[in-house]
Amino acid sequence: EKGLLRLRAGMGVYSNNRPAKIWRQLADASPLRQEIVDKGIDFIIVRELIGGAYFGKRSTTIDENGVKTARDEMAYSDYEVERICKVAFNLAKKRRMKVHSVDKANVLDSSRLWREVAHKVALDYPEVEFSDILVDNCAMQLVRNPAQFDVIVTENMFGDILSDEASQITGSIGMIP
């Protein structure tokens, strides 16, 4: 894993576009109820790939009482958020014109910055429908009503988790070069 992370960072590969689509021939294999599958599933998760907790500072300490504590920093700059959001909005212009930005702005400062920058970028794409969604709600909505999504943009760890969930409901997740 460390080698892969270094390779991504070294090459500047900051966007991972993960399509999730249900194919009619495989619809019966989905764990979702048939009425949900029948609405169709066709969205793309645009995952920021070289920032956040996977690339932040890490430390493990042991205090004088022997208590071990591990820390992982989840840092994002406005530039990193802006460039991944532009990828998502440009992709949405070629699809169904909808972007959901996923964060955890109710608790994380990095997500509050993410949300602020995403809203700023959205102003440059007035033709694209834009909304925020908290990561926990997004995870629930992916199984409750995946047809509502077109392009989902999010930070590295959330994108990792959500794309794994999407692969379970469709069996078709892949990578667009």
Side-chain angles (χ1 to χ4, degrees):
E1 288 181 19
K2 288 182 181 180
L4 179 60
L5 295 177
R6 280 195 300 263
L7 184 62
R8 289 175 183 168
M11 295 179 68
V13 180
Y14 65 88
S15 178
N16 183 232
N17 302 344
R18 308 291 306 267
K21 183 176 176 79
I22 194 82
W23 299 99
R24 288 286 146 217
Q25 300 87 336
L26 299 174
D28 292 339
S30 175
L32 300 180
R33 291 191 323 259
Q34 194 61 48
E35 61 266 22
I36 293 172
V37 173
D38 287 345
K39 291 180 184 177
I41 301 171
D42 181 10
F43 60 88
I44 296 180
I45 297 174
V46 177
R47 171 185 169 191
E48 197 289 323
L49 204 55
I50 57 174
Y54 295 173
F55 288 86
K57 295 177 186 173
R58 299 171 183 187
S59 66
T60 302
T61 58
I62 301 174
D63 72 13
E64 64 277 354
N65 298 317
V67 176
K68 194 173 194 177
T69 303
R71 290 177 181 80
D72 298 287
E73 179 183 69
M74 188 163 96
Y76 273 101
S77 70
D78 54 358
Y79 172 75
E80 291 170 309
V81 178
E82 181 179 351
R83 71 183 178 187
I84 197 67
C85 285
K86 286 181 178 181
V87 170
F89 277 94
N90 286 321
L91 187 56
K93 287 174 63 174
K94 298 173 185 170
R95 292 177 47 88
R96 296 189 315 275
M97 307 289 281
K98 289 172 60 174
V99 171
H100 282 82
S101 176
V102 177
D103 61 43
K104 192 67 176 161
N106 58 333
V107 252
L108 300 175
D109 281 344
S110 58
S111 281
R112 285 188 275 279
L113 174 67
W114 183 282
R115 188 172 283 203
E116 175 188 322
V117 174
H119 280 256
K120 180 181 170 190
V121 172
L123 295 175
D124 294 332
Y125 299 86
E127 69 280 15
V128 177
E129 182 183 332
F130 173 73
S131 57
D132 301 305
I133 186 167
L134 294 173
V135 65
D136 42 353
N137 185 26
C138 185
M140 181 185 66
Q141 294 299 325
L142 284 177
V143 296
R144 187 174 171 270
N145 183 15
Q148 70 185 293
F149 295 108
D150 180 26
V151 176
I152 296 171
V153 62
T154 193
E155 64 90 31
N156 203 347
M157 183 170 55
F158 298 160
D160 186 4
I161 295 165
L162 294 173
S163 62
D164 284 351
E165 179 185 7
S167 72
Q168 294 300 307
I169 65 173
T170 65
S172 70
I173 200 148
M175 293 172 40
I176 295 176

